Amino acid sequence: MKKYLVLVCIISAALSSCAQNVPEKIDTLLTAFEKQEAFSGSVLVARAGTVLFEKGYGFKNKKQNTRNDSNTIFQIGSITKQFTSAIILQLAEKNQLSLQDKLSKYIPDYPHGDQITIEHLLTHTSGVYNYTNDGGFMKNSAYTPIRRDSLIALFKNKPLDFQPGDKFNYSNSGYILLGYIIEKVTGKPYFQVVRERIFQPLHMDHSGFDFTDLVSPDKAIGYMPAADADVPAPIVDSSVSFAAGAIYTTPGDLYKWDRALYTGRIITPASRQKAFTPHLSKYGYGWSIDSAYGKKIVEHGGGITGFVSFILRVPEDQTCVIVFDNHPSPAPPGQIAAEINALLNGKPYNIPQITLRPDTTVLRQYVGQYQLAPGFILTISLENGSLMSQATGQGKAELFAKKENFFFLKVVDAQVEFIKGADNKVEKLILHQNGQLVTGNKINE
């Protein structure tokens, strides 16, 4: 009788299973995420130098009722790190520094600085304490400017998490130090260096750092990660996120960066190979390295208050998937990028089913026991505002509304439909599963 247990919140689709073309399929996928309140942002998808898809979803500014589009400007958080690593590699190419230089060369009094190399900082293997783990600072002080020495002081005297080179531990502090090293070597502010060496040559004209003071009709408002929150998130000051996460940009500008990585315009092929070589935890220089469908993937996500982002690159076929989100939700951009990549490769991908949120008064009318077969009962209960189902001898699972009277679960592929009688009271349910319809009459409240 276990075959009657009920549903999953995604449905699989394959490239060959539908007459839609690729852009239509991507739009269907993203529209489903948007309707689930699981995505609000902009997406760009390209392959072999051709943009296949570019579109916005959800609101850029809820108060002004303006929607995201392909020109919307987002903060991209830690995607900034690959720009920082590119500048470091440029300086190494010109013999202005070595990746094996010790941190003590640039900050002589840094504790254990004679054990920490630039490469350790690039690969998150330095053991340096991650300053964004300081909840008090991030809550109370991340939204106001900070001096560079004060920023470094947040972690400088913290004990190392481990001996440099022994382990991987993601550390924004390491990239703060890399930004400082760039300033020491070039004699210029980090933001100016990135602008002169990357943004300007690539004509990334909608990219920058000081999001707080950015005045543009294309600027997105970042929102707090709560389903019913329309409150704008505070903006982390660029001096706080610095070389670890301060960049803002558009999908189109970031795609210019993607294209440049196939040439020697920003870094040489040899430097690019170093950046894309995995060290501990499959992390290179500002990139995570993985594989999917037999192809190498280089990718990275970003998260900063009010915004999340992701870039997925497949060098073999020059696929690029860029996903920016200004209302963090249960579906992270990395998941969305992976679904799009599956679609592009003709593999099954997951489309969220649309769920509603009926009032508890509506849900309460479905509470009761329904007999599906002799000795087999499906009990429906209301707990903390959620409708729950429990089949005889099995655990509870939450029901999610697709229509007011039509629900699904997130455990197996099945649906439950509630049916009312002539007196407008619920008298039975119909279980939809495995192509069969099984009726269960309501036997009590």
Side-chain angles (χ1 to χ4, degrees), residues 84 86-92 94-97 106 148 177-197 242:
T84 300
I87 299 298
I88 290 289
L89 288 167
Q90 283 185 350
L91 297 174
K94 298 179 183 299
N95 296 316
Q96 293 179 268
L97 58 74
Y106 304 96
R148 194 80 69 244
L177 293 170
L178 290 170
Y180 178 83
I181 290 170
I182 289 169
E183 293 186 330
K184 291 280 286 187
V185 172
T186 63
K188 297 179 179 181
Y190 166 83
F191 296 150
Q192 180 181 342
V193 174
V194 176
R195 193 171 282 112
E196 290 177 351
R197 290 173 176 250
F242 187 43

Side-chain angles (χ1 to χ4, degrees), residues 25 65 78 91 96 106 122 131 146 189 228 294 297 301-302 322-323 373 388 411 417 422:
K25 287 172 177 288
N65 201 36
S78 286
L91 297 174
Q96 293 179 268
Y106 304 96
L122 286 167
Y131 77 104
I146 187 172
D228 58 351
I297 290 176
I322 295 168
V323 183
M388 309 295 292
V411 288
E417 180 181 8

Side-chain angles (χ1 to χ4, degrees), residues 5 19 132 135 171 276 391 436 442:
L5 223 162
T132 58
S171 176
F276 294 168
Q436 300 181 1
K442 192 173 187 180

Side-chain angles (χ1 to χ4, degrees), residues 252-302:
D253 267 15
L254 193 61
Y255 182 56
K256 292 177 182 178
W257 163 246
D258 164 79
R259 299 309 302 159
L261 289 172
Y262 290 104
T263 71
R265 190 172 182 185
I266 301 299
I267 54 176
T268 66
S271 290
R272 183 178 66 235
Q273 180 63 32
K274 289 180 180 179
F276 294 168
T277 298
H279 291 252
L280 297 180
S281 294
K282 299 181 180 180
Y283 198 90
Y285 299 166
W287 292 92
S288 292
I289 295 89
D290 208 336
S291 64
Y293 316 118
K295 304 172 187 177
K296 181 177 182 179
I297 290 176
V298 291
E299 58 189 10
H300 209 286

Side-chain angles (χ1 to χ4, degrees), residues 169-228:
N169 191 22
Y170 194 90
S171 176
N172 288 296
S173 303
Y175 275 76
I176 297 300
L177 293 170
L178 290 170
Y180 178 83
I181 290 170
I182 289 169
E183 293 186 330
K184 291 280 286 187
V185 172
T186 63
K188 297 179 179 181
Y190 166 83
F191 296 150
Q192 180 181 342
V193 174
V194 176
R195 193 171 282 112
E196 290 177 351
R197 290 173 176 250
I198 300 178
F199 290 172
Q200 291 175 359
L202 299 184
H203 298 287
M204 295 176 64
D205 301 326
H206 309 288
S207 303
F209 304 93
D210 184 7
F211 199 65
T212 299
D213 294 323
L214 174 65
V215 178
S216 170
D218 294 319
K219 177 180 178 179
I221 300 297
Y223 293 92
M224 299 303 290
D228 58 351

Side-chain angles (χ1 to χ4, degrees), residues 76-82 84 110 120-134 137-138 151-152 154-155 161 168-180 236 239-246 283 300-304:
I76 60 171
S78 286
I79 291 179
T80 299
K81 291 179 172 65
Q82 57 202 244
T84 300
Y110 199 95
H120 288 147
L121 299 174
L122 286 167
T123 58
H124 298 297
T125 57
S126 67
V128 173
Y129 171 79
N130 182 15
Y131 77 104
T132 58
N133 288 345
D134 184 340
F137 170 78
M138 294 305 296
L151 179 63
I152 293 175
L154 292 173
F155 54 83
D161 292 335
F168 173 92
N169 191 22
Y170 194 90
S171 176
N172 288 296
S173 303
Y175 275 76
I176 297 300
L177 293 170
L178 290 170
Y180 178 83
V236 174
S239 64
V240 173
S241 49
F242 187 43
Y283 198 90
H300 209 286
I304 195 165

